[in-house]
Amino acid sequence: MPGMNLTRAEASDRAKLLSVDSYDVTLDLTRGDKTFSFTTVVKFQAAPGSASFIDAVTSAVHRVSLNGVDLDPAEVSDGVRIQLPNLLEENTLTVVADAPYMNTGEGLHRFVDPVDNEIYLYTQFEVPDSRRMFAVFEQPDLKATFAFHVTAPAHWDVISNSPTPEAVEAGPVAESEAATDPQSNAGTHSNAGAPSNAGARATWHFEPTPVLSSYVTALIAGPYQSVRSELTSSDGRTIPLGVFARKSLMQYMDAENIFALTRQGFEFYEKQFGTPYPFPKYDQLFVPEFNAGAMENAGAVTFLESYVFRSKVTDATIERRAITILHELAHMWFGDLVTMRWWNDLWLNESFAEFMSALAAAENTQYTQAWTTFAMMEKSWAYRQDQLPSTHPIVAEINDLEDVLVNFDGITYAKGASVLRQLVAWVGQEEFMAGVRAYFGKHSWGNTELNDLLGELEVSSGRDLKGWSAQWLETAGVNTLRPELTVDDDGVLTSFAVLQSATAEQPTIRPHRAAIGFYDFATGGGQAGDGEAGKLVRQHRVELDVDGERTDVPALVGLKRPALVILNDDDLAYAKVRMDDVSLATAKAHLKDIAESLPRTLVWASAWDAARDGETPAREYVDLVLANIGSESDSSVVTVLMRQLATTLALYIAEEDQEETSASAAEALWTLSQQAAAGSDSQLQFAKAFASFARTASQLDTVADLLDGSIALEGVSVDQDLRWELLTSLVTGGRLGPEAIDAELERDNTQTGQLAAAGARAAVPTAEAKAAVWDAVVVNGDMPNAAQRSAITGFTRVHNTALLQPFVDTYFGSIRKVWATKSHEISSTIVTGLYPTLLVSQSTLDATDAFLAELGSETPALRRLVLESRDGVMRALKARAADR
């Protein structure tokens, strides 16, 4: 939509001009299924005689009154901004308008449950979408209080940042918004004071919030059900807790697990931060068609519904939910209590929440191996992002909202968290947390910049962090560390050095806090440092500062060369690591024999980097995974390895060998699923991966037999979600078609079932089916966000990539219009999801380059997404050449 962008210069000028006291927002959610109405009353100060604007994305503006003077809506509003002339020192603005419900997961999202036709609403405001629900000065440094008054069907729950008040009767609901289920108020939730008649309306008057940035305000409304609990904060307050979900999902909610993690997080963060939890309650709401993992709305955190488990899921998925819960809780301090002044310091929110969630999990929950998961998931994400042509410093240059919308990436989250972990290793954890405590003590309820935090950390640690910041936060790129060593005839080290390199595009050589581990085979003799016979265990460790292109390590000279040397042992540093020849040979032959999960993960990561960079043949990585994954005990590691295996088979294996290698990998995974312990996490992952990779006639026969029950895999229950995975495998292989999909949907006509069916239909391997998906997603383009994602995933699920070739020119001919006419979430999903990544060829690069040349620099965010996709094809060509 024209005018939706906001530049940093505009925001800075507006912040200098005015300050905001309060918002009083009245919403009527009973006016139909397309729009709702709002009345916003804003009180703010400004320079007398100046002019500014307020943000409001509307379908109709009925009234604008500024300091008692009515302005003509047609003259001052363009549907995105409302101009405010002739401001006084003290101002009161009233805006009465209608705004559209969204089906994109942005603004006020509306969803109808196919199970019972109940209506559910929720908001998603980060980055710039509170303006889609009420008139607001949409930037993080104009904090204010917010009072919401919400009229809705009386049988609904209405949740916001402040505790939910008693509802007041408000008359009949509009027929189009009435629920079809007259008993929809039944369940574990409570609407204190609300009439039970489903045709009635009620109004909830929420108390004003503390001062907040608008993007962490929230409204969640509908017949949600809840489970309640409470805890006592460090300052003695009782904090009510709530866990919410749709009625049709509540039977699957394991609320006690969520409450237990929440209590552990509260205990850890209040102690580490030295500041009590800042809000009066803490609700966690699992909402439909959510775009991200979760959102840190103050006291009312929203999560995607996939975290409500209706079927058996992997331990990795359960751990991921735990980390997400801890991540969002950390945001109550980092982000909500103290907020960045502008989006260039977004990393202050996300990197800290990412780091603290892993630290809390490792030190105060059952997930003591959280740093292994961090190394395998978060750091691999960071390394990938940091090698793209669009890489940027952690403290990024954010010129406008479009810049920040594409900056929720592996740098902002994972690299920032990795660098913070290294900083903690360098200055000491207690010194680091002392600085954090001082930071909260000084800046609570305010806005900050990087220097505000660095200043407190310098005081607490006694170190000058300006050089560290310049090298780590203000430059881009990832370094590579390699060992250089020599030995005498007896195998004793005569020299040992760490060599550091950088790319020509990002040439910074940085200081690293790192450890070097020496690993040898245990004899089982019970000696100190020994372990189970035949296992590789650490026998020696040295921690040091690596600086410059060469760092000699005299402390290791004189020691016997071990079987395996691991640079960056314990994963303190942010750097890619390569192994010496002896260590590489040991790793390939004995990876599964490394006793501990973290060093094993570091070896996995090094092997993946080398294959992805085209330094080693991709087929060697496939062989390494299939030979060792059966012994891998960490569920998150297995999950990532399965993803990397899929990427390798689809993109990095030489094209002429791709079919045979993929079929062999599927066969190996079926064998692994049979050999794995019955009912084990690994068995479930191997079985799902087999179904995904199956392509030969016999393999598809096996999938069909699993689906109809002709054969069984002991320990694996073919539940509803697994049925969809097996069916989609058969659809992709051409064994089943639309009739089978319709029959399965009749069996499972839920939101999850509808999304699975959309993906399966899009996977039908015919030109007509692919064209129908393209028209639905790109041409018509009115699908809800979650259905669109499922359709795109199914569209690109092919055994024969020739099915995608006809859409290359159409893609490049369409995406400029898509970008210009659709919301960010919808357009970015189309641009990245439908790029011809699987067509690894020079012609794909040529088509991309022609598009980029024509695009020029007029749309930087679109250009960035296409450049990143192009890099994937270029990398795949290099890897395929190495594989040959």
Side-chain angles (χ1 to χ4, degrees), residues 340-361:
M340 74 262 149
R341 189 172 305 282
W342 177 246
W343 297 102
N344 59 306
D345 281 320
L346 173 65
W347 81 279
L348 281 175
N349 290 6
E350 300 302 346
S351 296
F352 268 88
E354 198 82 347
F355 168 73
M356 289 303 305
S357 61
L359 185 67

Side-chain angles (χ1 to χ4, degrees), residues 545-574:
D545 291 322
V546 174
D547 202 356
E549 294 183 353
R550 179 187 178 92
T551 303
D552 289 304
V553 191
L556 297 178
V557 174
L559 298 178
K560 191 172 182 60
R561 178 179 192 156
L564 175 66
V565 176
I566 297 182
L567 297 187
N568 196 26
D569 202 19
D570 295 324
D571 199 34
L572 302 180
Y574 174 79

Side-chain angles (χ1 to χ4, degrees), residues 235-249:
D235 59 355
R237 290 176 297 137
T238 297
I239 306 297
L241 306 176
V243 171
F244 295 74
R246 287 186 288 127
K247 287 195 305 177
S248 59
L249 273 183

Side-chain angles (χ1 to χ4, degrees), residues 760-777:
R761 289 192 188 100
V764 172
T766 66
E768 295 78 13
K770 298 301 181 185
V773 177
W774 187 274
D775 287 346
V777 171

